[in-house]
Amino acid sequence: MAQWTSAVGAGQLARLLGSQQDRPAGPGTRRPPAYRALADGIRLLVLEGRVPVAARLPAERELALALTVSRTTVAAAYEALRAEGFLESRRGAGSWTAVPAGNPLPARGLEPLPPEALGSVIDLGCAALPAPEPWLTRAVQGALEELPPYAHTHGDYPAGLPALRTMIAERYTARGIPTMPEQIMVTTGAMGAIDAICHLFGGRGERIAVESPSYANILQLMREAGARLVPVAMAEGLAGWDVDRWRQVLREAAPRIAYVVADFHNPTGALADDDQRRRLVDAARAAGTVLVADETMSELRLDDDVERPRPVCAFDPAGSTVVTVGSASKAFWAGMRIGWVRAAPDVVRSLVAARAYADMGTPVLEQLAVNWLFSTGGWEQAVTVRRAQARQNRDELVAAVRRELPDWEFEVPRGGLTLWVRTGGLSGSRLAEAGERVGVRVPSGPRFGVDGAFEGYVRLPFTVGGAVAEEAAARLAAAARLVEKGGVGGGEAPGTFVA
């Protein structure tokens, strides 16, 4: 059986390699031999995640024709990549991308900083803001007032409180997506929702297609469930999905599930447009793949002129392809562990039935608090404040990073909570290690990729602003100087937590 899970055509690889020519070489840099330049170009594409790990590369003759170089040059480049651990080959199966055995891989990580450490270390690991007040307190007070009738019951509601299911269904209906309460299951956060979906539709060894990069904690959840992750590279910058690549992967790898973040993608901040959503749903339907759309960031548009696209499920009127996941954790507060699934009624029934062997149900008091927010207008008020806070943090963090680290590259997203930064050729894993020494925690790019991709990136959240953002950027610059001087070695300590 072939060891690759996707393929890169000769023309596509030639275009990706050509895009690297826009990057200026440093002063006094000698031009490497053609085979070395080609090998370095492919290696960089793998490390940046623009060519997925386990992607079959074109045959030597095909790539030579596409690049207008000799076949000998391509053969020498492939041999160099094999020697360095970035390419594996087998007779009859071709050659596919890999990463060397010693490279740091995304894994679990650091616990969130304890309160007593916050004064000395700036934590850029968690993309979560403090609770919006006074709405949290009011919501809890409102929930306590509604609690007595529920206290006289058993308290187990595997599908969620009927009142909250109805409220969530009405909110989808108001967005033009007719939804019944029977299509909603309330979960313990979005992680609980996706865990339940993966166990229902996928088993150990099942293929799951994911964006590359993608949300680190979900990738880890899927790994621990025994899934085989199939990465699909995002389009450049904030352009969203490369739907042609998605079509190819869905057709050739035939994954049982595909997981995507259409709205202010974590970590890049990209926003998929209506046409991309429609085409991806069509491709998933044709492949028989369940498309899991994570909407946890959907309400965090930070610029007023950003139009909110239609939900991904709007392009699946029959409800046979798309399963939607939502949550209060990002838009409101991470401590409010309330999520939900919107799916066809038979899917919801199956999820509810399976829940008896998992967590039984979601806490009643927190469900009542979210229901209070939805029913009183408190949600909209709190989210408006949340957007303003995140927008100010974003602008101040961007200004600080541009001032302290002018060689770092990024595009400023118009929503979400994260900035995806290319670190000027420095190792993200070593930056993370150096950051620990100078008092700033930052997750490295490989946490958000499959099998060590995105080594040249870090993710910065919009959780600090003002003087703290300036200090965070200054400490990151100090960490970068340490890396440049060779003051750190090895990779990021396994297990850094990100949210």
Side-chain angles (χ1 to χ4, degrees):
M1 182 178 176
Q3 300 299 305
W4 48 271
T5 56
S6 62
V8 180
Q12 178 188 0
L13 184 56
R15 289 191 297 273
L16 290 170
L17 289 165
S19 69
Q20 297 175 337
Q21 296 175 359
D22 297 331
R23 301 181 184 181
T29 302
R30 292 185 178 181
R31 189 178 184 86
Y35 86 89
R36 185 67 262 174
L38 176 56
D40 288 345
I42 294 174
R43 176 177 54 82
L44 184 59
L45 289 173
V46 172
L47 289 175
E48 289 185 340
R50 297 171 69 195
V51 169
V53 175
R56 185 178 63 173
L57 296 186
E60 295 170 1
R61 187 184 302 278
E62 293 175 0
L63 186 57
L65 288 172
L67 294 174
T68 62
V69 299
S70 70
R71 184 177 176 182
T72 302
T73 296
V74 176
Y78 278 14
E79 182 57 37
L81 290 168
R82 276 189 289 269
E84 296 164 3
F86 286 94
L87 195 69
E88 295 181 11
S89 304
R90 193 173 69 196
R91 186 179 299 276
S95 299
W96 55 94
T97 56
V99 292
N103 268 36
L105 301 180
R108 332 182 169 90
L110 288 155
E111 295 293 328
L113 280 175
E116 61 269 17
L118 292 176
S120 58
V121 179
I122 299 174
D123 188 3
L124 299 182
C126 293
L129 291 162
E133 288 289 20
W135 293 277
L136 175 61
T137 298
R138 290 177 182 172
V140 173
Q141 290 171 343
L144 288 172
E145 293 175 3
E146 297 292 330
L147 183 61
Y150 295 94
H152 292 291
T153 73
H154 49 65
D156 287 335
Y157 296 88
L161 293 184
L164 182 54
R165 296 176 72 195
T166 299
M167 183 61 67
I168 294 170
E170 289 176 354
R171 291 174 66 84
Y172 277 106
T173 300
R175 294 175 66 188
I177 317 299
T179 303
M180 303 179 296
E182 292 78 10
Q183 291 178 262
I184 303 296
M185 181 178 84
V186 181
T187 62
T188 307
M191 292 285 287
I194 293 169
D195 183 54
I197 293 165
C198 289
H199 280 88
L200 178 64
F201 289 106
R204 185 161 292 276
E206 199 75 63
R207 289 181 176 181
I208 300 179
V210 295
E211 297 152 322
S212 184
S214 186
Y215 179 36
N217 287 347
I218 294 297
L219 295 180
Q220 186 60 30
L221 182 155
M222 293 173 176
R223 288 189 191 96
E224 294 191 354
R228 298 174 59 194
L229 301 184
V230 182
V232 185
M234 297 284 286
E236 282 292 293
L238 299 177
W241 300 321
D242 185 330
V243 181
D244 290 337
R245 288 188 189 180
W246 269 102
R247 277 205 192 99
Q248 182 181 18
V249 169
L250 293 175
R251 183 176 62 249
E252 296 179 358
R256 184 71 182 93
I257 303 170
Y259 168 78
V260 296
V261 184
D263 302 276
F264 307 118
H265 175 257
N266 187 350
T268 68
L271 177 65
D273 60 32
D274 282 344
D275 182 61
Q276 289 174 321
R277 296 169 191 236
R278 179 184 298 105
R279 292 166 61 204
L280 184 57
V281 171
D282 290 345
R285 184 184 299 114
T289 297
V290 175
L291 184 62
V292 180
D294 186 335
E295 289 189 337
T296 54
M297 295 282 192
S298 66
E299 298 197 53
L300 290 173
R301 55 190 187 281
L302 304 186
D303 297 329
D304 294 337
D305 59 341
V306 175
E307 285 192 29
R308 191 177 183 184
R310 300 179 70 196
V312 176
C313 59
F315 304 99
D316 180 38
S320 60
T321 300
V322 178
V323 176
T324 303
V325 172
S327 172
S329 297
K330 294 296 185 183
F332 186 75
W333 184 45
M336 188 69 77
R337 304 306 304 164
I338 298 295
W340 53 87
V341 174
R342 181 200 181 274
D346 62 321
V347 172
V348 169
R349 284 193 296 270
S350 297
L351 288 169
V352 171
R355 193 170 195 179
Y357 308 102
D359 63 355
M360 297 293 292
T362 302
V364 169
L365 188 63
E366 292 186 25
Q367 292 187 71
L368 289 172
V370 172
N371 192 60
W372 184 93
L373 288 166
F374 284 158
S375 61
T376 63
W379 177 269
E380 284 71 22
Q381 296 172 36
V383 170
T384 297
V385 172
R386 171 70 80 231
R387 289 182 190 133
Q389 182 181 12
R391 181 189 309 118
Q392 181 175 345
N393 286 355
R394 177 197 64 182
D395 295 345
E396 292 171 350
L397 181 66
V398 163
V401 172
R402 281 177 170 163
R403 181 174 59 253
E404 296 286 345
L405 294 149
D407 293 337
W408 287 18
E409 303 172 43
F410 51 84
E411 291 191 40
V412 181
R414 308 195 68 191
L417 289 173
T418 57
L419 190 68
W420 186 235
V421 182
R422 182 182 286 145
T423 56
L426 299 179
S427 162
S429 296
R430 296 192 178 191
L431 278 166
E433 182 183 355
E436 294 279 355
R437 300 187 184 186
V438 298
V440 59
R441 264 186 176 176
V442 59
S444 67
R447 304 235 167 267
F448 305 89
V450 176
D451 293 338
F454 303 107
E455 183 57 61
Y457 288 81
V458 294
R459 191 197 72 172
L460 306 179
F462 308 143
T463 52
V464 297
V468 180
E470 293 178 5
E471 179 62 23
R475 294 185 188 187
L476 286 171
R481 289 191 292 271
L482 268 178
V483 174
E484 289 170 343
K485 294 176 181 178
V488 293
E492 186 173 350
T496 297
F497 175 86
V498 291

